[in-house]
Amino acid sequence: MTKKRKKNFRKKLFVKNRLIILNEDTFEELFSLRLTLMNVFVTFTLGGIFLILVTTFIIAFTPLREFIPGYSSTELKRNATKLAIKSDSLETALKQNEAYIKGIQKVLKGELEYSKFSKDSILAESAEDASDVNMKASDAEMKLREDVAETEKELKAKSQDKKKSDKK
């Protein structure tokens, strides 16, 4: 019984119907169109997809996207980038000034002679402190790397064994 219904539905999809638009007063035929249910379905589906695509492109490539929560304007992004760069430069200037003030405090306390104190020497010291990072791996890190490498080898061997057993 379901096969009959499916066949009837398929037949109904492709049965040709006529759409006629008439003038009600004179019964004159203004427009006539032969359609199937399948043609109507395909036309509306393609029209809907086209409408969605056009809407998406309008929102994506015009300033309308700024009204959607989560999107920010390009000017705002540009300003944020400029402010981030400016804050970084201010931070380095602040560190240099702090180092200079510490040097002056040492001179005032008598811990450092005035003749050995200059702004350039202080700035050179602060630059050395920033670049004095130890990039060599410690023993614990080397051990961890070896353990990870061994674990990866074991997992690789297990996966190869599993592939071989799956092929059999």
Side-chain angles (χ1 to χ4, degrees):
M1 186 164 206
T2 58
K3 287 186 179 184
K4 286 184 181 181
R5 286 185 183 175
K6 284 183 181 180
K7 286 184 181 181
N8 286 337
F9 181 69
R10 286 182 189 159
K11 284 182 183 180
K12 286 180 183 179
L13 279 177
F14 296 103
V15 169
K16 293 186 179 183
N17 298 305
R18 181 172 288 220
L19 174 67
I20 301 173
I21 299 178
L22 299 172
N23 185 347
E24 195 171 305
D25 295 333
T26 62
F27 293 107
E28 178 186 356
E29 184 177 315
L30 298 175
F31 182 73
S32 174
L33 193 62
R34 289 182 70 177
L35 299 171
T36 63
L37 198 57
M38 183 62 115
N39 289 348
V40 173
F41 176 72
V42 169
T43 304
F44 279 115
T45 303
L46 291 177
I49 290 171
F50 179 73
L51 187 64
I52 290 169
L53 288 175
V54 167
T55 305
T56 303
F57 281 119
I58 287 173
I59 290 173
F61 299 113
T62 62
L64 286 175
R65 72 173 171 257
E66 295 173 12
F67 295 109
I68 297 173
Y71 284 100
S72 58
S73 68
T74 54
E75 184 179 343
L76 184 64
K77 288 180 183 178
R78 197 176 307 120
N79 288 341
T81 305
K82 286 180 183 178
L83 289 175
I85 292 169
K86 192 180 271 188
S87 68
D88 286 343
S89 63
L90 287 174
E91 189 175 320
T92 56
L94 180 66
K95 286 180 182 178
Q96 290 174 349
N97 287 340
E98 285 177 354
Y100 183 71
I101 290 171
K102 286 181 183 178
I104 290 176
Q105 287 175 348
K106 285 182 183 179
V107 169
L108 291 175
K109 289 180 182 177
E111 297 174 5
L112 186 67
E113 294 180 22
Y114 178 71
S115 60
K116 293 182 181 179
F117 177 73
S118 70
K119 189 170 186 171
D120 294 332
S121 65
I122 298 296
L123 295 178
E125 281 182 26
S126 67
E128 286 176 9
D129 291 342
S131 64
D132 196 22
V133 178
N134 185 10
M135 296 299 285
K136 295 189 177 187
S138 65
D139 293 333
E141 187 176 350
M142 292 302 289
K143 186 175 185 233
L144 177 65
R145 288 181 184 180
E146 290 172 3
D147 291 342
V148 169
E150 287 177 20
T151 307
E152 286 178 352
K153 285 180 185 178
E154 290 172 5
L155 290 174
K156 190 174 183 181
K158 286 181 182 179
S159 66
Q160 286 177 352
D161 292 341
K162 187 175 182 180
K163 286 180 183 177
K164 287 179 183 178
S165 65
D166 289 344
K167 286 182 181 179
K168 291 179 182 179

